[in-house]
Structures are given as C-alpha cells and as structure tokens.
Amino acid sequence: MIKELLASHLVYWLIIILFMLGPFGIILQKNLVKKLMAMNIMQVAVIIFFLVLGQKEGATLPIEIHGLTGAANYINPLPHALMLTAIVVSLSTTGVALALLLLLQKKYGVLEEDELLRRMN
Amino acid sequence: MKLFSYLSLGLMVVVLFATAGGLPVLFDKNSPAAVNVSPRYIEESHRETGSPNFVTAVLADYRGYDTLGETTVIFTAGVAAVLLLRTGRKNGDDSGVDGE
Amino acid sequence: MNRRFGSVVLDTAFRYLVPFILVYAVYVLIHGEDSPGGGFQAGALFGIAIVLEHLVHGDKAFLKIPGTWAVAVAGGGALFYGLIGLFCILSGGNMLQYGMLPLMQDVVERHVLGILGIEIGVTICVMATIVAIFNALTGREDLL
C-alpha cells in the first residue's frame, strides 16, 4: 500500500517539500546561520532525489556478486558515484561558509541580516 | 519586495509539483537513467577495471578526471577556510580583517 | 582547547573509539574495491578520528596535524593524484589511463593499482581538509 503510494510520485512530492524548505529558509529567514542550514537541507534533498532515480525493482547493491550478471540485477551506480563527491564538496563549502560567518560575527557583532546591512552602511 | 519573494517561492512550488508527474515511477527498471548508460558500466566494468564495486570503478576509473577536479575543489575549500581565518602570526598588524 | 570536551563517560568512550575508527578507515580504504567504501569515506573517517582525538586530548593529542601543515598535506594528496595521472602520460597513455602503468604485467592489475593509488590521494586530501577546516574554526578562540 505505502509502496504503491510512494511509487506513484509521492516520493517526489516528499523530496520537493524537503527541497523547498531550502529556498523558503534562504529567502525568509533573517539569521545567516539559519540560511546556511537551509542551504544544507536543500543539498540533502538533491542528493536524495538522485539516489531515488537510481533505484530498480528487485535489484541489489552496485557491487558484483559472483554468478549474478545482468544490468537488471544491480541498481544504477552512476547517481551513487556522483553524489559521493557532492556530499564531500558540500562539507567543505559548509566549512568555508562557517569561516565567513565567524569573520562577519567578529567584524559586525551580529548575524541578523537587516541589522547587519544597517551596520555595514 | 516581500511580495516578490512570496510570489517567486509560490511559483517555484507550483512548477516543481506540476512537473513531478513527468518523472519515472519509483523502482522503474526501464527509466531513462537505467537503460542508457548504466548497463554498460554494470556489465563491463569488472572485466575492464578489475573492481567488483561499480561505484568505485565509475568514480576512480571512468570518471577519474572528474574526481581529480572534485579533489581540487575540496583542497581549494580547505585553503580558503584557512586563509580566511589565519591568525597572521608573522606580522602582528597584517592579520586579515580583525585589525580593528 | 585544554578544557575537557564532555563528561568523563564521553571522554573515556571517545578515547577507546578512536583506534577502532582508524582501523575501520584503513579497512574502508584498502577494501574499497570489493565492498562499499573508497577514498572519500576513508578520508572522512580518518578526519573524524583526528578531530575526536583533538577534542578529547586537546594540545596533547597523539594524532594531530598542526595548523598550516594540514593544508600542505591536503595539497600533497591532490598532488599525488595528479602525479599518477602525469605518470600515465609519461608511460605513453592518456591522463589517468591506468592500463599504461609500467608496474604490473596484467592490465586489470594495473587498473586496480591505479585505483588504489588515486584513492590514497583522495583519502589524504579529504582527511587533511577536514582537519584544516576544524583547526581553522576552533583555532580562533577570540572569535568564538
């Protein structure tokens, strides 16, 4: 029951809801740390979307088992390979963003967007 | 400005939900992602690269140049974080933005 | 960072956890061709082990890559990766064409060796980058 419901595009709707938390947070939140967290949530949604695209019915991990051949028996390895690097890159970009936020906090003493813009001018 | 933000967000939600119906069904064996490139990787990569793990074969062999770029990106991010937060021990006054 | 990280239980648990994380990271790196794993995951595990050691022991940590050295090690990892690609060119092939490596007889063995080599490079780069970012973020106590 839940499987049919998920298969008939419910899983994409859930991913879209998770993804839209990102733009909503980035545009509507005023705190820069919360904007960064929303950006990370958006990245996670994209990663889940790619992994969902790689699934197949009745298939196993993309690691060859002796005697089991045929493309239908293994899930698609390409999204895994692409998302593996995306996860690590998102980690490093988060590090750079946190460094920038630390410097902003040091220089202006605040991370709220409107207050920050007021103090900059 | 506030109205524009809400309008663009609403438009984004509508477009995403409207186009979700065109995506392949979950667990579909005949989705475009599963029939075009990946069978070649699954059937030939063990013989060609000697690695039973298809993900490693794709990541390190077929797309080795791509992974080199990703490694450079990670290294650049590390350099950027360290340069942003350097303490500047050599010259006491030349220490980034925290001079004030 | 000389003050204690967590409670006594947490500190002791992390102290015993670090060697197992290191062994697991080596397993994930070396065995990454036959089972789930690879350079990125092993690098993240090594980085986490070093960060935990630093958190628990502070400046007296056994495993640590001091300050600017971490960036140099990360660059060394990326350079190692690039040198393997260059080595393939010098052996008469294309960039990263492991079949041309003049090390083994069998072409498949050359591929396996090349994959292991670049994964070691990736591991070193990811590990040192995580440690570098951690050191940069926690080294500025005046900012926190």
Side-chain angles (χ1 to χ4, degrees):
Chain A
M1 163 62 188
I2 187 75
K3 194 178 167 188
E4 282 84 21
L5 209 60
L6 278 174
S8 63
H9 302 289
L10 176 65
V11 62
Y12 294 117
W13 296 347
L14 293 176
I15 290 170
I16 288 169
I17 291 171
L18 188 62
F19 178 84
M20 285 310 293
L21 287 177
F24 268 88
I26 288 175
I27 293 180
L28 297 182
Q29 286 289 337
K30 293 294 176 220
N31 192 319
L32 291 182
V33 181
K34 287 180 184 172
K35 280 178 194 276
L36 179 63
M37 288 159 73
M39 199 183 80
N40 272 326
I41 290 172
M42 203 161 77
Q43 281 173 336
V44 169
V46 172
I47 288 167
I48 294 175
F49 174 68
F50 268 76
L51 293 185
V52 161
L53 277 185
Q55 302 301 312
K56 285 182 199 169
E57 177 89 53
T60 181
L61 295 175
I63 293 164
E64 184 155 295
I65 302 168
H66 194 68
L68 186 64
T69 53
N73 289 322
Y74 300 100
I75 61 175
N76 194 348
L78 209 48
H80 294 247
L82 298 178
M83 288 307 109
L84 186 58
T85 53
I87 291 169
V88 184
V89 169
S90 88
L91 183 139
S92 2
T93 51
T94 308
V96 176
L98 283 174
L100 282 170
L101 290 185
L102 268 180
L103 286 183
L104 273 179
Q105 167 76 29
K106 164 78 176 176
K107 187 159 183 179
Y108 295 104
V110 72
L111 283 179
E112 303 290 328
E113 191 186 18
D114 36 6
E115 179 72 18
L116 192 66
L117 285 172
R118 208 166 53 75
R119 290 192 193 185
M120 274 178 173
N121 297 320
Chain B
M1 198 62 205
K2 200 79 175 174
L3 186 69
F4 179 71
S5 320
Y6 282 111
L7 269 181
S8 54
L9 283 174
L11 187 69
M12 214 166 161
V13 171
V14 168
V15 166
L16 283 177
F17 272 101
T19 52
L23 288 166
V25 180
L26 184 61
F27 303 123
D28 189 5
K29 279 183 180 178
N30 298 316
S31 64
V35 294
N36 283 329
V37 188
S38 71
R40 171 69 166 71
Y41 287 138
I42 292 172
E43 282 155 9
E44 300 291 330
S45 71
H46 191 188
R47 188 177 58 76
E48 284 180 352
T49 69
S51 167
N53 189 344
F54 305 136
V55 176
T56 302
V58 171
L59 191 77
D61 205 317
Y62 293 107
R63 291 175 179 258
Y65 202 65
D66 182 31
T67 311
L68 175 59
E70 303 270 7
T71 313
T72 317
V73 167
I74 295 164
F75 168 59
T76 312
V79 171
V82 170
L83 284 183
L84 278 172
L85 292 172
R86 71 190 189 282
T87 44
R89 246 170 285 138
K90 281 180 183 167
N91 318 334
D93 50 352
D94 182 23
S95 56
V97 294
D98 56 337
E100 52 200 303
Chain C
M1 296 271 300
N2 278 324
R3 63 183 179 279
R4 192 182 281 159
F5 165 57
S7 64
V8 178
V9 177
L10 214 54
D11 277 12
T12 314
F14 281 159
R15 202 164 294 162
Y16 284 106
L17 214 53
V18 166
F20 291 105
I21 295 176
L22 285 174
V23 172
Y24 184 54
V26 172
Y27 170 77
V28 163
L29 171 62
I30 303 294
H31 213 251
E33 294 187 356
D34 301 329
S35 65
F40 288 99
Q41 296 94 320
L45 283 167
F46 272 120
I48 287 301
I50 294 176
V51 166
L52 276 183
E53 179 87 2
H54 188 88
L55 281 176
V56 172
H57 289 283
D59 292 332
K60 297 190 290 294
F62 174 65
L63 287 168
K64 66 174 177 182
I65 309 178
T68 48
W69 274 97
V71 179
V73 173
L79 185 69
F80 185 63
Y81 194 140
L83 282 181
I84 289 178
L86 206 63
F87 194 49
C88 292
I89 292 179
L90 292 180
S91 316
N94 291 325
M95 180 92 177
L96 295 168
Q97 187 182 1
Y98 309 125
M100 301 299 288
L101 283 174
L103 295 173
M104 296 273 184
Q105 291 297 317
D106 191 19
V107 175
V108 170
E109 282 182 3
R110 290 175 179 170
H111 273 280
V112 170
L113 202 68
I115 290 175
L116 183 63
I118 68 156
E119 291 209 335
I120 289 173
V122 169
T123 304
I124 294 171
C125 184
V126 172
M127 171 193 77
T129 303
I130 290 175
V131 175
I133 291 177
F134 176 78
N135 280 345
L137 288 179
T138 57
R140 295 290 296 267
E141 300 255 345
D142 54 325
L143 291 182
L144 295 175

